[in-house]
Every structure is written in structure tokens, then in C-alpha cells.
Amino acid sequence: LFERQGLSLMVCEMVSNAVMFAGLPAATARSLLEPPSDSPMASGDPASWASATQVAFERCSHVTAAVQQDPPIVEESLSEEAQAATKVRLQTLGRCHMADVLLHNRDRFACPLFLLGTRGCTAAPASLELYQEYLGKDLDLSSFESEELITHVLLGNPDNVLLQDVQQPALAGLSFIDNVAGEALELSWLRDYLVSYMQEASQGDGPVAAPVAHLEFLRLVIRVTSGHVLSDAALREVRLGSLHLIRQVVAGDEGDGSSFSSWLDGFLRDMETVESANGLQPWAAQARPWLFNSLGVFRTVAQKHAGLLAALPPFASATPRTRGAISEDELLNEADGLRANLALWVSLSPEVRAEISKGGSSGM
């Protein structure tokens, strides 16, 4: 993540004020990952929560006591700022999920598309029905070498999502790490998954009220790692974020090279230059064809659902968080000097940034 000649640091060693979903108390998880009670999407039958993942949850021997005994959070006690920030976090999770789908990055979310070819799953569960069958009755635990491997396959890598400042719901934010695309998926799998995803979002009154079965995987992740069961309303916020990402990446240029396609082309060219100059593995040139093919699939599917994407409510917004008296230019220069991801660098506390800068200047 932070790379220079001879310097490579792990984010989990740097971010001292961040926690993973794992070990997060269920009450805290609810305050951080539930939309306000008056949300127009706060519907859905609570008795149906996690029904599609209940069997998998139980067969993996995870304890449900935390879900049943955790004291309720009084939602009204959260400030409007904290409620708005909750929506931002949920929609940002959705954006990251769909970006991973575009990049074929399977190193974070265990969504139906990414279970293709994994142990115990001989069918291709890009369709929701096959995914639910896999979790509910076709999950062959004997095909796994250990419970750790079961957890990895069913949950992905939730530690690649970090929650920061969890004791301050109005300021808490998400950081995503290790977002590296791997080998390309079959484009037919990708197309079938996106078609199914958009069809579900189009049901009834649209994405603000449609079923959320495609996002059961995220409900399972949060439930196993924290004990809290995300509501349908929370998953609908996640879906809104994912749909906003789709609309953004398929948008065309307005004559200024501002489209995602133009950005991706320039980014890959810059990466090819860096790889060549530093003797790194030439990933960018190899990834270019299938990344643009993937983008083509997104465009094709999005065109068939143009009305749904055009009618999306605005992306959630919250008061920008502050991280100490330092200008944007100073932050940009610091991040550039360490070749760090700017968004992650800004999210760190001043103390952590100081420690990293000190380590970088001393040639760690």
C-alpha cells in the first residue's frame, strides 16, 4: 500500500485507531451500520433477516447468543450527523463491493459471483438461487480442510475493511485496503450476475424497497464477525451505493476526458510506466483487455436499466470529518512523498501519519 524502493508497510500495523468488523460489539455495530428508524427504506419483515444464510451460519458452529442477548440501541439517541454518517458508510460499502466486481477482486467480499470455483461449490452460483442452495443445503463441509478455510470462503476477508473511530458514530469512517484485482472472471458469469442484481433492484417500487437477497452475503459477514444482524433497510442503503457506482463508471465523457473509461486508460498507462521503471511484474498491460471487457459488460447491462439508474436518489452525504489543522496541499504532498493512497492517508489520525512519515524518512 505504501511503497517505495525497499519500503513496504502493512496497513494493519499503521492504523492504531481502527478495528475490523471482527470483535466489534453487536451494539456498536448496530449504531455504526443501521440507517435511522425513519428511513423510507426501514421496511422488511425482521423475521426474514438472515434466513438465506441461517443454515450456513449454524453449520459453521458460530454462536448466536450475541445476536439474541445484545441490549438494543435507542436509535433516537444518535444525532442527525451520526445517522447521516451511517448512511454514508453503508452506501460506501456498496460502492466498494461493486468496484470489486468490476475489477474482479475476490480478496474482500464473498458475494455469489466470487464463490465460483471455490471448494464445495461445483456449480456456478452467479445466480441467486444457486448461491442460496449452496449455503442452505449443498454446502459440503467435508470438502474443507479446516473451519478456518470454511470461514474464509463464506466470509471473504472482512479485515480488508477497517472501521475507524468506532466510538464516535458521527466521525467513524471506512477504509478499504488490499483492493488488488486478480485473475479475470468469465464475462458470461459477470453478465449473469449483474443482470440478476439489477433485476432484483428493479422489483416493486425499485431499489429503495425491493428485496435484498443478493446482499445476504454481507449480512452473513457482519453477523458472524460482530453478532449484529443487518436489517433489510441497511442492505438497501448498501445497494444504493452499488448502483451509484455502476452509474458513475458507465457515464460517458462530456468532452473533457472525465469519464471513468478515460481515467482507467490513463491510470493503466501510468502504472505500466511505473512497473517498467521499477522492474515490477507487468500487471497493467495484462489487465487492460479484461478490465475494459468488464467495463463493456457493465455498460451493456446498465443500458437496459437506464431508467432505474437515472432515478436514483442522491448519494448520501455527511459533514466532512476533520483530522487536525493541516491544509489539503500539505496532505497531498505528504501522501505523494510516501506514494500513499490519498484517501487512506487523509483518514488517518495526525499521530499515525506522523509515525508513518517518521518511519519513511528514516528508511525503514
Side-chain angles (χ1 to χ4, degrees), residues 119-310:
R119 287 178 173 81
C121 182
T122 55
S127 74
L128 185 61
E129 293 76 12
L130 286 173
Y131 173 70
Q132 291 173 324
E133 288 181 8
Y134 172 61
L135 290 183
K137 63 181 181 181
D138 293 336
L139 179 60
D140 181 9
L141 299 185
S142 65
S143 65
F144 296 91
E145 299 172 2
S146 66
E147 183 171 326
E148 180 181 355
L149 186 56
I150 297 173
T151 301
H152 173 72
V153 169
L154 294 183
L155 304 184
N157 289 313
D159 55 338
N160 285 344
V161 181
L162 297 178
L163 273 165
Q164 295 181 281
D165 292 334
V166 293
Q167 302 306 321
Q168 303 181 71
L171 294 178
L174 295 172
S175 292
F176 301 96
I177 64 172
D178 195 26
N179 195 0
V180 179
E183 60 186 272
L185 294 165
E186 289 286 342
L187 291 180
S188 61
W189 298 347
L190 175 63
R191 181 182 61 253
D192 291 348
Y193 175 76
L194 287 176
V195 167
S196 180
Y197 193 88
M198 297 294 280
Q199 285 176 343
E200 181 181 61
S202 302
Q203 292 181 34
D205 293 329
V208 298
V212 285
H214 274 88
L215 291 164
E216 283 288 348
F217 77 89
L218 188 57
R219 182 141 52 193
L220 178 63
V221 170
I222 301 299
R223 185 181 186 188
V224 172
T225 54
S226 74
H228 176 61
V229 183
L230 289 177
S231 67
D232 286 0
L235 295 183
R236 289 183 179 119
E237 295 284 359
V238 174
R239 177 168 57 204
L240 279 180
S242 68
L243 295 176
H244 271 282
L245 189 282
I246 293 174
R247 187 172 72 177
Q248 179 181 347
V249 300
V250 302
D253 272 337
E254 297 183 0
D256 58 359
S258 61
S259 72
F260 175 79
S261 178
S262 296
W263 173 86
L264 180 61
D265 178 69
F267 178 82
L268 290 173
R269 292 182 187 279
D270 291 344
M271 182 177 284
E272 290 174 29
T273 299
V274 172
E275 289 172 345
S276 177
N278 292 278
L280 302 175
Q281 181 179 350
W283 178 86
Q286 298 172 12
R288 176 181 290 275
W290 59 260
L291 280 175
F292 276 95
N293 287 338
S294 178
L295 183 57
V297 172
F298 267 66
R299 285 175 174 152
T300 299
V301 175
Q303 286 173 357
K304 297 180 180 179
H305 297 274
L308 179 147
L309 295 175

Side-chain angles (χ1 to χ4, degrees), residues 38-73:
D38 61 352
S39 167
M41 286 170 283
S43 59
D45 179 8
S48 71
W49 292 2
S51 59
T53 53
Q54 180 65 37
V55 175
F57 184 81
E58 293 174 350
R59 291 179 70 179
C60 289
S61 302
H62 292 291
V63 180
T64 60
V67 179
Q68 300 167 350
Q69 298 176 5
D70 192 70
I73 290 289

Side-chain angles (χ1 to χ4, degrees), residues 1-3 332 334-345 356:
L1 185 63
F2 290 82
E3 229 178 80
L332 180 61
E334 287 181 355
D336 187 58
L338 288 170
R339 297 179 67 182
N341 177 281
L342 179 59
L344 179 57
W345 185 251
I356 296 171

Side-chain angles (χ1 to χ4, degrees), residues 322-333:
T322 58
R323 280 292 196 175
I326 182 170
S327 70
E328 291 184 5
D329 287 342
E330 288 176 301
L331 286 171
L332 180 61
N333 289 335

